[in-house]
Amino acid sequence: MAKSQGNMARHSSAGDRLFDIANYTFMVLLMIVTLYPFINMLAVSLNDAGDSIKGGVYLWPRVLTWENYDYVFKQGEILHATMVSASRTILGTLISTFCSAMVAYTISRPEFVLRKFVTLAFVLTMYFNGGLIPNFLLIRELGLMGNYWVYIIPGIVGVFNIIVIRSFIEALPEGILESARIDGAGEFTTFMKIVMPLSMPVLATTSLFTAVYHWNSWFDVFLYNSSHINLSTLQYELMKMLQNSNASISSSGGNMDGSGGTAANFVTPTSIRATMTIVASLPIVMVYPFLQKYFVKGMTLGGVKG
């Protein structure tokens, strides 16, 4: 029997090693597939635009240049638009996360009589909405056209975030909340001093979702603030820049060999697109490592009840 157990252990350890090798190989391949598009975009953005037309730029620039970035950041409204995007992202994320957490806490309480009705009303909005034109008319009637707050108020509460935060709060030990009430804490005090600190993992997760939405958003700028340059965001300016570069190339008869003397001859839509991708994604890439430790825990605990 001892001999058979030894054989089983050897077979088991061999199987474990084979599984580890396959698992590591798969994870390495997955990492390469995930990182390659970003690295390729970085290489193209740092490569001479005329040289990039020839192709063959994969992991590093063949002709290193900062001309693409120089062209992007020399556009007049880019820096101001970046500040608008940053303020919108910070303010919108803080307000939306706080308000969503308050709503989630409210509908997580069993003593709230209308919790099922309110939850159903919120969930229905995820599947049905009035459409683009009614939404535009609503924004106009609210006086938010040409207003900075059109970026903040319509998205002040996110239903998906509410559902995730509510599930997390419902998984918290009820005894902690009862202890706070016994000590004389009201609902708002309980929410601020007990629920919020304990919910940091899920709040960090939903904050990341909201921040990415605000940072990448440009269509609301196009709809409501396209005629107000001071309210333009980075993504909208980059979109306009790409359109202008396409128009410039078309008007120049497709001459992109760098033999001309205009900026359009030294940058191409491909180089501009790659540079825009790096500029737009870099802030989120820099923020994500600081939230990563909360991200998995927040999604795991927020997605199921304890």
Side-chain angles (χ1 to χ4, degrees), residues 272-290:
I272 292 297
R273 189 182 300 112
T275 307
M276 286 164 42
T277 301
I278 299 301
V279 170
S281 60
L282 194 58
I284 298 297
V285 171
M286 294 174 64
V287 169
Y288 180 77
F290 298 99

Side-chain angles (χ1 to χ4, degrees), residues 50-68:
D51 182 73
S52 297
I53 300 173
K54 304 174 186 176
V57 179
Y58 300 113
L59 296 178
W60 50 79
R62 188 164 49 221
V63 182
L64 181 64
T65 180
W66 293 97
E67 186 67 31
N68 298 321

Side-chain angles (χ1 to χ4, degrees), residues 205-225:
T205 302
T206 55
S207 295
L208 182 61
F209 292 154
T210 308
V212 170
Y213 159 75
H214 278 290
W215 181 259
N216 289 333
S217 184
W218 65 270
F219 192 60
D220 49 3
V221 187
F222 172 73
L223 288 177
Y224 311 123
N225 289 334

Side-chain angles (χ1 to χ4, degrees), residues 129-191:
N129 61 76
L132 183 60
I133 295 178
N135 188 66
F136 179 86
L137 296 175
L138 174 64
I139 295 297
R140 187 182 66 179
E141 292 301 318
L142 290 175
L144 294 176
M145 298 287 292
N147 194 312
Y148 174 83
W149 290 100
V150 75
Y151 302 145
I152 309 297
I153 295 177
I156 203 169
V157 169
V159 178
F160 176 78
N161 293 344
I162 289 175
I163 300 301
V164 173
I165 298 172
R166 185 203 64 178
S167 299
F168 187 94
I169 293 175
E170 287 176 344
L172 294 177
E174 188 64 29
I176 299 179
L177 305 182
E178 290 296 334
S179 300
R181 295 190 184 98
I182 291 173
D183 290 339
E187 292 294 344
F188 189 74
T189 303
T190 302
F191 170 72

Side-chain angles (χ1 to χ4, degrees), residues 21-88:
I21 292 172
N23 189 37
Y24 292 148
T25 303
F26 173 76
M27 296 304 295
V28 169
L29 291 176
L30 182 63
M31 181 184 67
I32 293 173
V33 170
T34 304
L35 289 179
Y36 173 74
F38 186 81
I39 296 175
N40 177 253
M41 283 290 178
L42 181 61
V44 173
S45 70
L46 290 172
N47 196 69
D48 180 73
D51 182 73
S52 297
I53 300 173
K54 304 174 186 176
V57 179
Y58 300 113
L59 296 178
W60 50 79
R62 188 164 49 221
V63 182
L64 181 64
T65 180
W66 293 97
E67 186 67 31
N68 298 321
Y69 289 92
D70 185 60
Y71 174 80
V72 168
F73 285 107
K74 275 187 176 179
Q75 305 304 307
E77 301 299 329
I78 287 295
L79 293 180
H80 179 75
T82 302
M83 297 302 295
V84 174
S85 286
S87 66
R88 169 186 179 168

